[in-house]
Amino acid sequence: MAKTGTTTQGLRAAIERSGYYPALVAEAVEAAVGGEAISSYLVHQETTFDANEVRRHVTVLVLTANRFIVSHTDEQAADSSSPTPYATTSTESVKLGRISSVVVSRVVANPESYTPGTLPREVVLTIGWGAVSRLDLEPAACGDPNCDADHGYTGNSTADDLSLRVSEAGDGPDTVRQTLAFAQALSEATAATR
């Protein structure tokens, strides 16, 4: 389930509609937003299955004139560190100028007959601001097949701070549409700060 919009009241209502610890999530997000006006937001609640457990997770993305705010809330079952179930909520506030990439990957069926404006069946929104990077390394080699010298390593560094996947089948067409709308608003906001 994802909801998007542009008002504080709308954000609170979307968090409540997600049904996932709304008082806890709303308090954390509202504290991070402070008094800033909201340009756009996206609330995405997902359920995952882990062995014999069902776990829920909610991600709230908020765009203001100056910042991108991301909040994650996860629930945990009772374990050796806690005799009762508990939830963990975190928020991160990023200045728009720090966002280095907004990647929107679209999966479309029957691309040979694609019509502009048709909703993708899946969207992956990846946002990078330099807090988390993935480093993929492999041994470097030269062109000589008989060479056994150590040429060090070569690789890629990829910004991977946030990746959010939504699909028409799992989340519904409105969620896909809302994710695209938020991604566009964020892309436009980051372009304006350059």
Side-chain angles (χ1 to χ4, degrees), residues 2 12 19-20 43 61 77 93 95 101 103 111 135 143 164 182 190:
R12 163 100 42 185
Y20 185 80
V43 178
L61 308 178
S93 176
K95 289 183 180 183
S101 65
V103 180
L135 191 60
L164 183 80
F182 183 84
T190 58

Side-chain angles (χ1 to χ4, degrees), residues 2-43:
K3 299 293 177 205
T4 188
T6 59
T7 67
T8 302
Q9 295 83 9
L11 173 59
R12 163 100 42 185
I15 290 170
E16 289 175 3
R17 277 191 306 277
S18 79
Y20 185 80
Y21 306 121
L24 174 65
V25 173
E27 181 180 55
V29 171
E30 289 169 359
V33 171
E36 284 190 77
I38 295 171
S39 303
S40 185
Y41 64 82
L42 178 67
V43 178

Side-chain angles (χ1 to χ4, degrees), residues 6 27 36 48 65 81 110 112-113 116 118 124-125 147 164 176 181 183 192:
T6 59
E27 181 180 55
E36 284 190 77
T48 57
S81 68
N110 304 313
E112 69 282 354
S113 61
T118 302
V124 178
L125 172 60
C147 180
L164 183 80
V176 173

Side-chain angles (χ1 to χ4, degrees), residues 27-163:
E27 181 180 55
V29 171
E30 289 169 359
V33 171
E36 284 190 77
I38 295 171
S39 303
S40 185
Y41 64 82
L42 178 67
V43 178
H44 182 254
Q45 191 261 320
E46 65 181 323
T47 303
T48 57
F49 300 94
D50 182 19
N52 296 328
E53 295 182 50
V54 176
R55 293 183 189 238
R56 296 181 303 159
H57 172 88
V58 69
T59 301
V60 179
L61 308 178
V62 179
L63 178 62
T64 71
N66 302 306
R67 298 182 298 146
F68 166 67
I69 298 160
V70 59
S71 173
H72 295 287
T73 303
D74 292 292
E75 64 184 357
Q76 305 294 326
D79 58 22
S80 61
S81 68
S82 175
T84 60
Y86 60 97
T88 304
T89 299
S90 63
T91 57
E92 183 172 1
S93 176
V94 181
K95 289 183 180 183
L96 288 178
R98 287 200 49 216
I99 295 179
S100 56
S101 65
V102 178
V103 180
V104 180
S105 300
R106 302 165 191 243
V107 177
V108 298
N110 304 313
E112 69 282 354
S113 61
Y114 176 77
T115 303
T118 302
L119 223 54
R121 70 178 190 200
E122 183 177 309
V123 172
V124 178
L125 172 60
T126 305
I127 304 165
W129 57 90
V132 178
S133 293
R134 183 178 64 239
L135 191 60
D136 296 320
L137 293 176
E138 61 184 41
C142 67
D144 181 357
N146 297 318
C147 180
D148 61 356
D150 182 356
H151 294 285
Y153 289 88
T154 184
N156 297 322
S157 176
T158 308
D160 200 17
D161 295 305
L162 174 76
S163 190

